[in-house]
Amino acid sequence: MKQNNSNIFKFLVAASIILVNVLTSTFATFAWFSSSTQVENTASNLVATHDSYIQSYEVFPYYTLPGGNANGTYTFSTTATTTTNLGKFSLINSGYQIMVKVELTDYAASLTSLNLYSHTSASFFLGELDSTTNQVKQLLAASGNSLSSIVCFYAFTSDKITTISGATPYYSVNVSDTCNVGGKAKNFVSGSKLVTTDPVIANYNSSRYIYFVIDYDKELINSIYAANIGNPVISDASNIDVDGNSYISYDSDFYFYVKKVDA
């Protein structure tokens, strides 16, 4: 997707509608456990290709090790998928993340430096409080909530992606190896307020490939639900499934874009 008067491509991370579940609350603290129903997208909604910059892309689903995963390590199947939504959220277990592999064109890979940014079209962080009333600015609704409020992401160069061979091969990557600005997970929230555009990678020229891991941000999720204590939509009977859990949906409203660094 080309922006006017600039060498920009965007690849839209459409994690689609992510359903997050709240089971119980104790002493005004919400306990998070899992979410259920998922909505699938075609991969064409994930990356808006630009002929000058994007050669191809693939999406890889999370792979759960039989013995469990080490803290700070992501593992993914080596078999690409066309399912682009995040899997079901669980506070206890991983398995809902996705990894996106973007191959740059010869031209893009030859550039001395690229900057990669994340951008959201959301208006509010759903946990943001009004400074005057100390009430949440925008209450959670049954649907149409901002996915930007609850996700984080990591970017990696190809040398940080390890292929583990065996009967079931898989990719492994350590969070500490991210090439994010600041070396930590990036999200759209700073000081409990939404940041519309933020650099993920600065001066990128390390390889032909850029890898992204998209994850839920547990701290943001906790902040949002703490700010929404007493919001009836969370416990509304019309939102409760047959298993007794309430479900709230989140809409994808963010994307990434890469821009050539001006000489």
Side-chain angles (χ1 to χ4, degrees):
M1 186 178 293
K2 188 173 182 180
Q3 294 185 354
N4 294 334
N5 303 319
S6 64
N7 291 322
I8 297 175
F9 73 81
K10 299 175 181 178
F11 49 98
L12 176 65
V13 177
S16 185
I17 299 176
I18 311 296
L19 296 174
V20 181
N21 165 38
V22 184
L23 277 179
T24 61
S25 61
T26 304
F27 301 108
T29 300
F30 285 93
W32 284 73
F33 293 94
S34 64
S35 67
S36 183
T37 308
Q38 299 297 304
V39 177
E40 293 185 355
N41 273 359
T42 60
S44 60
N45 289 329
L46 182 65
V47 177
T49 59
H50 186 295
D51 291 343
S52 296
Y53 294 97
I54 296 294
Q55 183 70 35
S56 63
Y57 67 89
E58 293 179 292
V59 182
F60 298 92
Y62 196 84
Y63 172 70
T64 302
L65 297 176
N69 287 37
N71 187 38
T73 300
Y74 289 109
T75 54
F76 298 91
S77 169
T78 57
T79 302
T81 178
T82 57
T83 300
T84 60
N85 60 284
L86 294 173
K88 61 182 180 180
F89 175 79
S90 170
L91 181 63
I92 301 173
N93 300 311
S94 296
Y96 39 77
Q97 299 87 350
I98 58 173
M99 184 173 74
V100 183
K101 176 184 179 182
V102 178
E103 182 180 4
L104 302 176
T105 62
D106 290 339
Y107 167 72
S110 70
L111 294 175
T112 303
S113 187
L114 295 170
N115 286 347
L116 182 138
Y117 295 86
S118 58
H119 180 84
T120 178
S121 59
S123 300
F124 292 102
F125 166 53
L126 291 172
E128 185 176 346
L129 302 179
D130 186 287
S131 58
T132 302
T133 65
N134 204 37
Q135 300 296 312
V136 65
K137 285 189 173 183
Q138 185 164 320
L139 289 171
L140 282 172
S143 62
N145 300 294
S146 167
L147 185 60
S148 297
S149 292
I150 60 171
V151 294
C152 62
F153 34 87
Y154 300 86
F156 302 91
T157 52
S158 57
D159 60 308
K160 302 300 182 182
I161 308 297
T162 303
T163 303
I164 307 299
S165 302
T168 306
Y170 60 90
Y171 296 123
S172 179
V173 61
N174 294 320
V175 168
S176 60
D177 288 332
T178 182
C179 56
N180 285 1
V181 173
K184 297 180 180 180
K186 301 290 291 184
N187 56 47
F188 291 104
V189 180
S190 177
S192 296
K193 294 185 177 181
L194 203 69
V195 177
T196 303
T197 301
D198 203 26
V200 181
I201 304 175
N203 300 315
Y204 181 90
N205 63 353
S206 299
S207 70
R208 189 182 184 91
Y209 300 94
I210 301 175
Y211 293 79
F212 292 92
V213 172
I214 313 298
D215 199 352
Y216 292 105
D217 191 305
K218 298 179 182 65
E219 291 185 6
L220 292 180
I221 291 173
N222 288 334
S223 295
I224 290 171
Y225 275 80
N228 276 269
I229 290 175
N231 181 353
V233 74
I234 297 174
S235 56
D236 192 325
S238 63
N239 299 328
I240 297 178
D241 206 341
V242 292
D243 56 5
N245 300 326
S246 65
Y247 296 87
I248 296 176
S249 68
Y250 289 79
D251 295 340
S252 178
D253 54 4
F254 64 93
Y255 61 85
F256 298 92
Y257 67 90
V258 172
K259 183 178 180 180
K260 176 184 177 182
V261 177
D262 295 332

